[in-house]
Amino acid sequence: MKLEQLSKAGRDIESASFQIIENEIKKLEFEYDFTAPEWEIIRRVIHTTGDFDYKRDLHFHQNAVMAGVRALCNSCKVFVDVEMIAAGINRKRSQYFAISVHSFIADEDVLERARFNQTTRAHEAVNKAYEKGLLDGAIIAIGNTPTSLIRIVELIKEKKIRPALVIGVPVGFVSALESKEMLVDDDDIKMEDVPFITVRGRKGGSTVAVAIIHALMSLASESVSKSNIESKNNKKCEKLKKCKAVTVIGVGTNGCSGITPEAFGKVMEAEVLFAAERLLDFFPQFKGEKISIKSSQSYVSLEQQLRSVVERSYEQNVVILSSGDPLFFGVAKTLLELNLVESNFLEIIPHPSSMQIAFARIGVSWEDACWISLHGKVDLRYTDGLILGLANKIKNKHKVAILSDYKFTPVQIAKYLLDFHPFLSDEWQLAQAVVAENLESVDEKITYYSLQQLAREERDFSSLCILILLKNREKQKERIINCRSEKEYTEGSDSTLCTKKEIRLMSLDALEISANDIIWDVGAGSGSIAIEAAELAYNGKVYAVEMNLQQIAICRSNIYKFATDNVQLFEGEAPSVFDNIIVDGVAGVDSPDGVFIGGHKGKLAEIIISAHKRLRVGGRLVINAVTLESVSIALQTLALLGYSGSKAPEVTLINISRTSICGNESNGSNYNRYNPLNPIHLFKVKKI
């Protein structure tokens, strides 16, 4: 059965329009030189634009229609250059084929990259899609921005991507014609034989791109209904046609009495109810099938459980219960982040979150709080006892709210934080720790402590518990950039091995660290680079590699001194130790966004090659070289990796001098002069 999107009246109007187009074409005595499926697309474009010139100007690769239909039936990704196209693609049709549509041109980071690289947003949006792996096997639709199409052609020529189909129909006067000619006539593109649909000349636009996609969807739905090709996807599409919206309902600890009549009615109408056991117990009157969420210790992940429940929604009415606000560290957020359900097919009925209620109980505003959830997070604890990033995230915050559970209790959190030096400071000594338990229930309890008092508490807390930490804001002093002196990293030890702060600042800038990045520090020494990188990547991770036992001890001490518990220290010699890096029991995961090489023990070439191999595409490799031999090796090795000529590494020679006093202090003949530090060559490349 064909996918229907119109009412009977709408179908009658569409049919009449198509008949008019057919009659007009006959009057023009137009000679058909395309296949019937190609005519379906041309007719749809004429219907959309009212322009009969498209009968002449649309140009098809011989496999274009087949490739587009096959990609849709395989639930491909669709990348579009502008949001207008994304908005124009019918969402129900997208759900029918389980495709995802992506556009990045309006993203803030895309604008920043365009300014930095002096390119266009359209160009950088394509780069972002490439870095995310969204272009291979995708349908790419370009309707407005010729620079997007030019960049797509470049990536195809460089054999970096192979889309299923390129719809290249940008409109305009600057580069529009040229970009389409590149897609059709470039010899390298012809050799790659990537299917395309384009428009000759300057015409085109978002409406044309959308019309082509909708025509392909109509052809694909007919293909699914009329033949057995792609039988597996046929079944998938048939199931998707019956897909009902998944409803997620927030529930408080007061159960049924705390939800709206609308929400209660949704629960009673459901055929499947999925929730934690304690939430299911609130609805003994429910007659359908109850499915309990398996604990975090189960071999079945939450993602697998949710995926299974969403598949049930193809045939049945599914309701998922969540504590509080489902989008606040809740299951609805997980569904959307994993792309298990599109937002327009997900109905969310929220309840006030436990965080909101907790702050209301103590009479404190919560809009400026730092929110952290440790609830059910089995993967946060490192093998050496660190809770990933907790201390680092909150050490400079004045208001913190933490969702705890049986594994990370308020007492354990307090004891853990007090292991780090910043939490022994006066401002944290005076901080208030508030524990809110069993909110909205008869067992509700609010208790006030200092951090030290909480760490000494012996009673058990409820597993439904929130810890709020409040510092005196007047005493709060935040440093935007923590570029510390070398003495702060080496005091109390005999070591002087520490990257000078001026060099450190320029190296960190070269790494272009974002909040969620994964950074490797090779030859970490005292840990100065790793620690300050971790403060920039406060939601990410830093892996520090060091082989010297004395330096390892200093680095570990500094991790606690500066409360950077998102730094994980690995002992061993690079590059062989790279293969031994274990994260969550798995070797070789977490490809870095940036790698800093500060020490190499004579194995610089091997380290560069090995680190570059593991670096993600677009990631930054930064090297500090002191000796001329190291400079030579770095240049030669990077050239072997393809960084030469126009792609040569960015190299900066850094000469730093600091003032010192000379002369005889006793007779007052003191003078200030400059003492030079060792020159440093700073190398930087972005992986291509």
Side-chain angles (χ1 to χ4, degrees):
M1 183 177 68
K2 186 176 180 179
L3 174 63
E4 299 289 352
Q5 288 295 310
L6 300 173
S7 65
K8 183 180 184 302
R11 289 195 297 273
D12 291 342
I13 293 171
E14 184 181 75
S15 297
S17 298
F18 285 161
Q19 188 58 55
I20 292 171
I21 292 170
E22 299 278 0
N23 295 338
E24 291 292 324
I25 289 290
K26 289 175 183 177
K27 290 179 184 179
L28 295 169
E29 297 181 351
F30 180 69
E31 185 176 337
Y32 287 72
D33 59 352
F34 32 69
T35 66
E38 288 171 352
W39 169 242
E40 290 288 328
I41 294 173
I42 294 170
R43 188 176 64 175
R44 176 72 63 178
V45 172
I46 294 173
H47 176 259
T48 299
T49 62
D51 188 344
F52 281 85
D53 286 349
Y54 283 103
K55 71 185 185 302
R56 176 193 68 233
D57 295 335
L58 273 170
H59 183 43
F60 297 83
H61 181 281
Q62 61 182 357
N63 296 324
V65 177
M66 183 185 299
V69 168
R70 183 182 294 118
L72 288 170
C73 286
N74 280 307
S75 301
C76 68
K77 295 178 177 65
V78 177
F79 172 73
V80 300
D81 62 332
V82 292
E83 292 183 325
M84 191 182 299
I85 299 177
I89 297 174
N90 188 285
R91 291 190 175 185
K92 289 187 177 179
R93 295 186 183 190
S94 298
Q95 182 71 8
Y96 178 91
F97 292 105
I99 64 172
S100 56
V101 181
H102 305 270
S103 173
F104 301 122
I105 196 163
D107 290 7
E108 285 294 327
D109 60 326
V110 168
L111 176 59
E112 291 173 5
R113 288 163 66 166
R115 287 171 175 165
F116 181 82
N117 295 323
Q118 296 185 345
T119 57
T120 65
R121 287 187 299 155
H123 180 99
E124 295 301 336
V126 172
N127 285 341
K128 182 172 181 177
Y130 167 61
E131 291 166 8
K132 287 178 169 288
L134 298 175
L135 301 181
D136 265 327
I139 291 178
I140 298 173
I142 308 299
N144 273 61
T145 56
T147 52
S148 292
L149 185 55
I150 291 170
R151 183 58 181 147
I152 292 294
V153 170
E154 289 173 349
L155 291 171
I156 294 171
K157 288 171 64 175
E158 293 167 8
K159 301 183 186 299
K160 291 182 176 178
I161 62 170
R162 185 172 180 81
L165 173 67
V166 178
I167 301 171
V169 292
V171 64
F173 296 94
V174 178
S175 301
L177 174 63
E178 293 80 356
S179 66
K180 289 181 273 193
E181 288 176 345
M182 288 174 63
L183 179 65
V184 175
D185 298 325
D186 189 280
D187 290 337
D188 291 335
I189 293 293
K190 288 179 179 178
M191 289 181 63
E192 291 300 316
D193 201 33
V194 172
F196 63 83
I197 301 174
T198 189
V199 179
R200 295 182 179 91
R202 295 191 174 96
K203 290 184 179 181
S206 299
T207 54
V208 174
V210 171
I212 292 171
I213 292 172
H214 283 169
L216 287 169
M217 286 177 166
S218 294
L219 291 166
S221 67
E222 291 175 355
S223 173
V224 167
S225 300
K226 294 179 181 178
S227 73
N228 284 325
I229 63 169
E230 306 292 336
S231 60
K232 180 179 179 181
N233 294 302
N234 182 13
K235 293 176 182 178
K236 183 176 183 179
C237 289
E238 288 296 329
K239 290 174 76 177
L240 283 167
K241 284 188 286 185
K242 301 175 183 178
C243 182
K244 298 179 181 179
V246 174
T247 302
V248 182
I249 298 173
V251 181
T253 53
N254 54 356
C256 294
S257 62
I259 65 174
T260 64
E262 176 199 8
F264 184 80
K266 293 280 186 182
V267 173
M268 292 299 103
E269 292 170 4
E271 297 167 271
V272 176
L273 191 62
F274 178 71
E277 194 71 46
R278 65 180 182 83
L279 297 181
L280 292 175
D281 290 343
F282 288 135
F283 297 90
Q285 65 276 62
F286 179 72
K287 302 301 182 184
E289 180 183 359
K290 290 183 178 180
I291 302 176
S292 175
I293 296 177
K294 295 179 174 62
S295 72
S296 57
Q297 296 177 322
S298 167
Y299 67 90
V300 182
S301 70
L302 178 60
E303 178 180 352
Q304 291 172 306
Q305 296 176 66
L306 288 173
R307 196 177 296 277
S308 175
V309 169
V310 170
E311 287 177 359
R312 297 284 293 274
S313 73
Y314 302 156
E315 306 290 344
Q316 297 170 288
N317 189 4
V318 170
V319 168
I320 300 174
L321 303 180
S322 176
S323 294
D325 183 349
L327 286 170
F328 186 79
F329 297 115
V331 69
K333 178 184 176 185
T334 305
L335 285 167
L336 293 170
E337 287 180 344
L338 296 175
N339 291 318
L340 298 179
V341 182
E342 288 194 20
S343 58
N344 58 311
F345 282 85
L346 184 65
E347 181 179 9
I348 300 170
I349 303 176
H351 184 278
S353 73
S354 55
M355 290 287 196
Q356 289 174 270
I357 296 167
F359 276 99
R361 293 291 190 267
I362 64 175
V364 175
S365 64
W366 54 273
E367 75 276 1
D368 56 343
C370 171
W371 308 90
I372 294 175
S373 176
L374 300 181
H375 189 80
K377 301 295 180 66
V378 296
D379 58 341
L380 287 183
R381 192 179 289 279
Y382 283 157
T383 53
D384 54 1
L386 299 180
I387 301 175
L388 178 58
L390 176 62
N392 189 25
K393 284 187 180 79
I394 71 174
K395 63 186 178 185
N396 291 322
K397 304 299 181 184
H398 74 283
K399 188 184 297 182
V400 180
I402 303 173
L403 281 170
S404 63
D405 69 1
Y406 71 93
K407 185 175 181 181
F408 299 106
T409 68
V411 173
Q412 289 173 322
I413 293 169
K415 289 180 178 178
Y416 174 78
L417 293 176
L418 290 171
D419 284 338
F420 295 92
H421 293 208
F423 294 92
L424 301 176
S425 64
D426 288 343
E427 59 182 359
W428 276 107
Q429 293 284 320
L430 298 172
Q432 197 171 50
V434 186
V435 180
E437 303 172 78
N438 301 315
L439 293 168
E440 291 191 301
S441 75
V442 294
D443 298 321
E444 178 176 306
K445 188 172 185 179
I446 309 292
T447 314
Y448 293 81
Y449 301 91
S450 69
L451 204 55
Q452 290 75 14
Q453 289 171 337
L454 180 57
R456 294 193 297 268
E457 178 62 83
E458 295 182 354
R459 77 174 180 88
D460 293 330
F461 289 93
S462 167
S463 60
L464 300 175
C465 195
I466 293 171
L467 172 61
I468 297 174
L469 303 175
L470 301 170
K471 284 197 293 185
N472 184 336
R473 194 165 194 175
E474 292 180 0
K475 295 180 179 292
Q476 174 65 14
K477 182 180 179 182
E478 291 193 30
R479 294 172 66 177
I480 303 303
I481 299 176
N482 284 319
C483 194
R484 302 177 179 90
S485 69
E486 299 89 79
K487 183 179 179 181
E488 290 182 80
Y489 287 104
T490 58
E491 63 183 348
S493 72
D494 298 329
S495 174
T496 58
L497 292 177
C498 179
T499 304
K500 300 296 186 285
K501 69 176 183 179
E502 298 87 352
I503 308 300
R504 198 184 319 136
L505 186 62
M506 295 186 71
S507 299
L508 290 168
D509 176 69
L511 284 167
E512 300 178 23
I513 299 172
S514 298
N516 298 303
D517 276 356
I518 296 166
I519 304 296
W520 288 16
D521 179 7
V522 182
S526 63
S528 60
I529 289 282
I531 285 166
E532 292 178 16
E535 290 173 324
L536 295 170
Y538 53 85
N539 283 329
K541 305 174 187 176
V542 176
Y543 301 142
V545 175
E546 179 56 54
M547 63 178 293
N548 182 284
L549 294 179
Q550 181 188 13
Q551 294 301 317
I552 288 169
I554 295 170
C555 185
R556 181 172 287 111
S557 174
N558 283 330
I559 289 171
Y560 281 88
K561 180 177 180 179
F562 300 110
T564 49
D565 50 350
N566 54 334
V567 176
Q568 191 168 7
L569 186 56
F570 288 94
E571 178 183 343
E573 185 176 14
S576 57
V577 72
F578 294 167
D579 294 325
N580 298 328
I581 292 179
I582 306 294
V583 181
D584 299 334
V586 182
V589 299
D590 281 354
S591 295
D593 299 283
V595 175
F596 174 77
I597 302 174
H600 54 82
K601 297 296 183 183
K603 294 188 176 183
L604 181 57
E606 296 96 315
I607 292 172
I608 291 174
I609 292 169
S610 184
H612 182 270
K613 178 181 178 181
R614 289 162 171 80
L615 193 66
R616 71 163 181 83
V617 173
R620 289 77 60 195
L621 176 62
V622 176
I623 306 164
N624 280 184
V626 179
T627 67
L628 293 177
E629 289 78 9
S630 295
V631 172
S632 176
I633 291 169
L635 284 170
Q636 293 175 29
T637 307
L638 291 172
L640 287 173
L641 293 172
Y643 300 98
S644 60
S646 61
K647 298 178 181 178
E650 177 185 322
V651 185
T652 305
L653 175 59
I654 308 171
N655 285 292
I656 300 293
S657 295
R658 295 175 178 171
T659 58
S660 65
I661 297 175
C662 63
N664 190 333
E665 189 173 348
S666 61
N667 61 20
S669 58
N670 288 343
Y671 301 95
N672 290 295
R673 69 176 184 183
Y674 285 110
N675 276 343
L677 305 178
N678 279 336
I680 299 290
H681 285 78
L682 190 152
F683 289 78
K684 175 186 177 180
V685 297
K686 286 188 178 182
K687 186 172 181 179
I688 54 179

